[in-house]
C-alpha cells in the first residue's frame, strides 16, 4: 500500500472512532455543536480547493452554500421530493451555477476575481430576498425530517468526502499538481501543456458542489432558512478566514482551524451569547497571520520543518568546505 | 416630468457624497495598488465618530467634520505601516495578501463595532436635517444639498492638490511609475503613507455625512464597500477623474431603480452591474484604469 493511502486510511479510521465515541458520549446539545464542526470542516476544505490550491480567492462561496440550501428547501416543501434526492439536486445546482459563472469570472485575476465572486454572492442574497419562491426575507420553514443523529452522521460523511477528495485527488493526485502549477505561474503551467482554463473551472465547480450539498443538509438540519442565514457574511467570511488562518493549500490547516474557530464561536456564544465577539477574533487573527505567517499556521510549520531538515546537512557541507 | 426631474436631482445629490469616498479610495489604489476592503468600515466608524461627538457635546454633527478628518488621518497613518510591511514582503501574490489583510481588518472593525454598540440604528440631527428647498417643483432636502456641495468642494480641493502642488506632482509620479519616481528623488514611502492617511480621513468624513442623511449602524459598512468597489471599477481602478462620472452614475442608478422599478431591486442591480462591468470592461467604462 502506498504511504499516502495508508495515512488516509489511518486518519479516516481515527476520525471514525472519534466520531463514534462522541456520538455515544455527548448529549444532544453538544452533538449539535460537533455537527457544526463537521460542517465548517467541510466548508473550509471546499473553499481551500479553489482559494488554497488554485490560488483564486473566491469571496462569494456562500452563493453555493445558499443555492444548495434553497434548492433543497424548495424541492422538499413545494415539490415534495424526498430529502436525499433534494440535497443531491442542491449540489448539482451549485455545480451548475459555478460552471456558468466560472468561465468568465476565472479570467479575472487576483483581487478582481475576489470582487467578482463577492458581487455574485450578493446578487444571490438580493435575489433570495426578492423572489416569491424563496419566501423573500421571511425564508422557508422545512418539516423536521430526521433526528439530530442522522444529521450528525450526514455532516460527518460530507466532511469526510471533501477530505477524501482533497487528500486523494489534490494533495496526492495529478489534479492537485496541475492546480498548484497554475497557482504559482499560470503562463508556465500552460507551457507545460496544462489546459489551465479547464483545470481552474473544474476546481471551481468541485469546490462549489460540496458547499451545495452541505447547504442542503444544513437546511434540513436547521429546519428554517432565510436569505441572510445562508447567503450572508456569517457563512461566507469564516470559510475564507478559517482556510487562510489554518494554511491555504494544506489539507490539515483548514481542518484544524475549522475545529478550533467553530468551537471558539460556540464557547463565546454559550457563555456570553456574543457571536459578534467571534468576528473580532477572526479578524484580529487574520491580520496577525497575514502579517507574520502568510502561509497560515500549518503552512508556516511545514516550511519551518522543511527548512530545518534542509539546513542540517548544509551546515556540515559548509564545515567541510572551510 | 416632475418625478423624472426629482429623481435626477436625488441621484445627483447622493452621488456627491459617494464622490468623497471613492476619490480617496481610487487615489490610494493608484499609489499603493491596494484595494481596501475596509473602506466601508471607515465610513461606518466615521459615522459613529460624528454620532458620539454629537451625542456628548450636543453640537451640530457637521461641525465635527474637520475633527473626524484629523482622527481618521491619524488612523490611516497608523494602519499604513502594516500595509507597507506586506507590500515590501517577498511572499507570493503580495497584493492579494494585502486584500486579505484589509478583509481581516474589516471583519475586526465590524465585529468590534457590533460588540460595542449592538445592532441598533442611531440617528443624529443637524441644523439642516428637517428643512428643504423647493426649486421649480423639485424638492431638495437641505442636508443633501449641503452634503453634495461639500463633496464638490472636496473634489475641487483634491484636484487642486493633485494638479497644482508639488506634493500632487509626486503623487501622480508614484501612481505612474514608482521606481522612476524614486529615482527622481520622490520619497515614495512618505507619499504612499500620506495618500493612505488622506484617503482614510476623507472616507471618515463621508461617514459623518452619510450618518446625518440616513442613520449609523455597525452593519452599514458592507454596503459602502461594495459602492466604493462599484464606483472604482466603473471609473477604472486608479483613474481618478473617472470617479466623477461613476459616482454620479451610481447615485442615478439607485434613484431611478428605486422610483421606477422598486427599491428592493436597487442593490441587486448595483451588484449585477458591478459583476458585468468587471467581466466586460475591467478597465472601467472610460477604459483608462488598470486591469
Amino acid at each position: 500500500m502506498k504511504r499516502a493511502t495508508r495515512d488516509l486510511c489511518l486518519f479516516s479510521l481515527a476520525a471514525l472512532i472519534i466520531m463514534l465515541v462522541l456520538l455515544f458520549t455527548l448529549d444532544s446539545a453538544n452533538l449539535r455543536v460537533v455537527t457544526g464542526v463537521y460542517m465548517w470542516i467541510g466548508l473550509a476544505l471546499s473553499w481551500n480547493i479553489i482559494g488554497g490550491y488554485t490560488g483564486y480567492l473566491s469571496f462569494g462561496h456562500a452563493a453555493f452554500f445558499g443555492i444548495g440550501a434553497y434548492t433543497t428547501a424548495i424541492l422538499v416543501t413545494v415539490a415534495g421530493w424526498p430529502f436525499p434526492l433534494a440535497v443531491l439536486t442542491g449540489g448539482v445546482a451549485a455545480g451548475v451555477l459555478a460552471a456558468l459563472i466560472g468561465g468568465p469570472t476565472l479570467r479575472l485575476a487576483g483581487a478582481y476575481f475576489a470582487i467578482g465572486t463577492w458581487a455574485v454572492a450578493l446578487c444571490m442574497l438580493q435575489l433570495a430576498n426578492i423572489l416569491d419562491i424563496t419566501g423573500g426575507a421571511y425564508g422557508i420553514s422545512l418539516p423536521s425530517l430526521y433526528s439530530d443523529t442522522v444529521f450528525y452522521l450526514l455532516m460527518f460523511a460530507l466532511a469526510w468526502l471533501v477530505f477524501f477528495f482533497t487528500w486523494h485527488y489534490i494533495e496526492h493526485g495529478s489534479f492537485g499538481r496541475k492546480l498548484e502549477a497554475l497557482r504559482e505561474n499560470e503562463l508556465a503551467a500552460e507551457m507545460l501543456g496544462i489546459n489551465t482554463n479547464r483545470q481552474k473551472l473544474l476546481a471551481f465547480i468541485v469546490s462549489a458542489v460540496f458547499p451545495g450539498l452541505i447547504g442542503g443538509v444544513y437546511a434540513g438540519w436547521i429546519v428554517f432558512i432565510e436569505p441572510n442565514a445562508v447567503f450572508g457574511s456569517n457563512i461566507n467570511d469564516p470559510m475564507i478566514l478559517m482556510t487562510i488562518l489554518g494554511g491555504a493549500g494544506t489539507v490539515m490547516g483548514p481542518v484544524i482551524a475549522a475545529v478550533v474557530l467553530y468551537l471558539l464561536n460556540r464557547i463565546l456564544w454559550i457563555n456570553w451569547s456574543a457571536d459578534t465577539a467571534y468576528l473580532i477574533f477572526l479578524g484580529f487573527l487574520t491580520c496577525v497571520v497575514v502579517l507574520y505567517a502568510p502561509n497560515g499556521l500549518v503552512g508556516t510549520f511545514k516550511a519551518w520543518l522543511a527548512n530545518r531538515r534542509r539546513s542540517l546537512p548544509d551546515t556540515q557541507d559548509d564545515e567541510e568546505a572551510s | 416630468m416632475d418625478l423624472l426631474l426629482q429623481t435626477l436631482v436625488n441621484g445627483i445629490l447622493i452621488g456627491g457624497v459617494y464622490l468623497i469616498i471613492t476619490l480617496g479610495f481610487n487615489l490610494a489604489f493608484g499609489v499603493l495598488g491596494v484595494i481596501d476592503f475596509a473602506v466601508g468600515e471607515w465610513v461606518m466608524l466615521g459615522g459613529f465618530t460624528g454620532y458620539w461627538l454629537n451625542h456628548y457635546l450636543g453640537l451640530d454633527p457637521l461641525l465635527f467634520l474637520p475633527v473626524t478628518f484629523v482622527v481618521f488621518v491619524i488612523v490611516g497613518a497608523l494602519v499604513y505601516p502594516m500595509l507597507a510591511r506586506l507590500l515590501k514582503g517577498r511572499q507570493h501574490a503580495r497584493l492579494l495578501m494585502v486584500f486579505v489583510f484589509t478583509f481581516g481588518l474589516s471583519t475586526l472593525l465590524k465585529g468590534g463595532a457590533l460588540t460595542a454598540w449592538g445592532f441598533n440604528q442611531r440617528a443624529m440631527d443637524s441644523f439642516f436635517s428637517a428643512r428643504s428647498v423647493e426649486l421649480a417643483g423639485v424638492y431638495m432636502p437641505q442636508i443633501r444639498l449641503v452634503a453634495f456641495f461639500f463633496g464638490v468642494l472636496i473634489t475641487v480641493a483634491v484636484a487642486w492638490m493633485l494638479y497644482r502642488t508639488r506634493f500632487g506632482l509626486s503623487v501622480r509620479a508614484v501612481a505612474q511609475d514608482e521606481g522612476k519616481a524614486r529615482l527622481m528623488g520622490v520619497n515614495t514611502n512618505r507619499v504612499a503613507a500620506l495618500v493612505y492617511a488622506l484617503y482614510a480621513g476623507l472616507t471618515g468624513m463621508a461617514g459623518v455625512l452619510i450618518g446625518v442623511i440616513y442613520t449609523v449602524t455597525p452593519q452599514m459598512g458592507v454596503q459602502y464597500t461594495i459602492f466604493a468597489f462599484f464606483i472604482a471599477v466603473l471609473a477604472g481602478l486608479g483613474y481618478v477623474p473617472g470617479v466623477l462620472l461613476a459616482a454620479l452614475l451610481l447615485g442615478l442608478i439607485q434613484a431611478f431603480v428605486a422610483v421606477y422599478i422598486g427599491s428592493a431591486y436597487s442593490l441587486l442591480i448595483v451588484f449585477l452591474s458591478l459583476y458585468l462591468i468587471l467581466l466586460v470592461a475591467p478597465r472601467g467604462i472610460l477604459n483608462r484604469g488598470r486591469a
Side-chain angles (χ1 to χ4, degrees):
Chain A
M1 208 190 306
K2 277 200 298 187
R3 189 162 164 228
T5 320
R6 192 199 65 199
D7 286 353
L8 176 65
C9 291
L10 283 178
F11 185 84
S12 303
L13 194 68
L16 194 68
I17 292 169
I18 294 172
M19 187 274 280
L20 288 173
V21 169
L22 292 177
L23 178 62
F24 291 113
T25 52
L26 292 179
D27 58 23
S28 68
N30 284 322
L31 209 60
R32 286 179 76 85
V33 171
V34 181
T35 312
V37 169
Y38 296 149
M39 177 176 119
W40 281 106
I41 292 175
L43 289 178
L45 278 173
S46 312
W47 191 86
N48 191 27
I49 296 172
I50 188 74
Y53 287 102
T54 320
Y56 276 77
L57 272 62
S58 163
F59 272 60
H61 251 51
F64 307 121
F65 181 88
I67 201 172
Y70 266 103
T71 308
T72 306
I74 290 167
L75 287 177
V76 167
T77 54
V78 178
W81 285 27
F83 184 71
L85 196 60
V87 169
L88 287 178
T89 317
V92 171
V96 169
L97 178 68
L100 285 177
I101 64 166
T105 317
L106 283 162
R107 287 187 317 180
L108 302 172
Y112 295 83
F113 178 77
I115 296 175
T117 45
W118 193 41
V120 169
L122 290 167
C123 280
M124 300 296 293
L125 171 65
Q126 292 303 321
L127 268 181
N129 263 317
I130 293 167
L131 293 177
D132 285 332
I133 192 155
T134 56
Y138 298 107
I140 302 178
S141 291
L142 288 90
S144 181
L145 293 162
Y146 308 116
S147 71
D148 276 354
T149 313
V150 174
F151 286 110
Y152 176 86
L153 294 171
L154 274 175
M155 280 295 188
F156 176 81
L158 279 176
W160 182 83
L161 194 67
V162 192
F163 182 84
F164 169 78
F165 185 90
T166 308
W167 183 279
H168 191 74
Y169 292 101
I170 295 182
E171 186 72 19
H172 296 284
S174 64
F175 182 42
R177 290 285 140 73
K178 289 175 192 161
L179 295 182
E180 281 171 331
L182 83 86
R183 175 187 67 191
E184 295 308 320
N185 190 332
E186 208 156 325
L187 195 65
E190 219 154 283
M191 301 298 265
L192 290 173
I194 298 170
N195 185 344
T196 53
N197 284 333
R198 195 186 139 87
Q199 301 301 328
K200 279 192 289 189
L201 188 61
L202 267 178
F204 193 52
I205 293 173
V206 170
S207 83
V209 168
F210 291 126
L213 295 170
I214 294 171
V217 173
Y218 174 83
W221 174 47
I222 293 292
V223 189
F224 168 71
I225 58 168
E226 48 102 10
N228 259 319
V230 295
F231 284 118
S233 58
N234 51 338
I235 293 290
N236 198 34
D237 301 357
M239 260 190 261
I240 305 164
L241 298 177
M242 281 171 176
T243 311
I244 285 168
L245 283 177
T250 66
V251 202
M252 293 315 290
V255 176
I256 295 168
V259 174
V260 172
L261 290 171
Y262 187 71
L263 287 179
L264 172 73
N265 175 342
R266 290 295 89 185
I267 289 167
L268 288 170
W269 174 247
I270 290 164
N271 291 323
W272 296 282
S273 54
D275 59 349
T276 54
Y278 175 56
L279 295 178
I280 303 181
F281 280 97
L282 269 185
F284 179 72
L285 289 174
T286 307
C287 290
V288 172
V289 162
V290 169
L291 275 175
Y292 297 104
N295 299 319
L297 298 179
V298 169
T300 306
F301 180 68
K302 273 167 88 174
W304 177 76
L305 268 188
N307 206 13
R308 219 178 67 141
R309 246 180 243 143
R310 207 179 316 130
S311 68
L312 286 176
D314 273 5
T315 44
Q316 280 176 345
D317 289 351
D318 286 350
E319 277 164 15
E320 278 166 26
S322 63
Chain B
M1 190 58 213
D2 271 2
L3 184 65
L4 181 73
L5 205 62
Q6 177 76 57
T7 314
L8 203 67
V9 169
N10 286 351
I12 291 172
L13 289 186
I14 199 65
V17 180
Y18 296 154
L19 206 53
I20 309 176
I21 305 176
T22 349
L23 215 54
F25 181 77
N26 226 354
L27 206 58
F29 178 84
V31 172
L32 288 124
V34 166
I35 296 179
D36 189 357
F37 203 97
V39 51
E41 310 310 325
W42 300 131
V43 173
M44 181 270 289
L45 288 177
F48 269 99
T49 310
Y51 174 81
W52 289 117
L53 285 171
N54 169 252
H55 187 79
Y56 286 115
L57 300 177
L59 297 171
D60 195 295
L62 296 185
L63 293 175
F64 299 120
L65 282 171
V67 182
T68 314
F69 180 74
V70 173
V71 168
F72 280 85
V73 162
I74 294 170
V75 170
L78 291 176
V79 171
Y80 173 75
M82 291 187 256
L83 298 178
R85 186 193 148 94
L86 286 171
L87 285 168
K88 292 202 186 80
R90 279 184 304 145
Q91 76 270 24
H92 185 66
R94 272 171 303 160
L95 290 176
L96 207 51
M97 290 316 279
V98 179
F99 187 71
V100 173
F101 175 81
T102 59
F103 181 58
L105 191 63
S106 91
T107 310
L108 170 67
L109 296 175
K110 187 172 74 179
L114 276 171
T115 310
W117 302 317
F119 289 84
N120 296 344
Q121 294 193 346
R122 291 157 212 256
M124 50 181 156
D125 282 328
S126 156
F127 169 77
F128 301 101
S129 281
R131 299 153 188 257
S132 65
V133 179
E134 205 193 314
L135 197 78
V138 176
Y139 163 92
M140 289 177 276
Q142 281 190 7
I143 183 65
R144 294 195 183 209
L145 267 179
V146 169
F148 175 77
F149 283 115
F150 189 71
V152 172
L153 189 74
I154 294 290
T155 310
V156 171
V158 170
W160 177 81
M161 183 222 52
L162 271 181
Y163 294 98
R164 286 284 177 275
T165 66
R166 213 177 151 69
F167 174 68
L169 187 67
S170 46
V171 169
R172 285 184 292 139
V174 176
Q176 221 166 58
D177 189 328
E178 201 199 322
K180 286 206 188 80
R182 201 179 299 145
L183 285 176
M184 297 298 135
V186 176
N187 185 344
T188 53
N189 194 39
R190 212 191 62 168
V191 167
L194 285 172
V195 165
Y196 191 81
L198 177 70
Y199 144 72
L202 289 178
T203 314
M205 276 202 298
V208 178
L209 291 173
I210 287 168
V212 179
I213 294 175
Y214 304 112
T215 52
V216 288
T217 134
Q219 290 167 293
M220 71 199 264
V222 181
Q223 188 182 353
Y224 294 101
T225 302
I226 201 103
F227 285 176
F229 285 1
F230 177 86
I231 296 171
V233 167
L234 203 66
L237 275 159
Y239 181 59
V240 176
V243 168
L244 292 173
L245 180 67
L248 290 183
L249 260 177
L250 176 63
L252 288 174
I253 290 176
Q254 278 190 303
F256 274 91
V257 171
V259 170
Y260 292 98
I261 305 180
S263 57
Y265 291 87
S266 155
L267 288 177
L268 177 67
I269 287 175
V270 169
F271 300 152
L272 200 63
S273 23
L274 168 61
Y275 180 63
L276 294 177
I277 294 160
L278 262 182
L279 297 185
V280 178
R283 300 183 62 204
I285 45 173
L286 301 170
N287 204 23
R288 295 291 289 272
R290 290 188 212 163

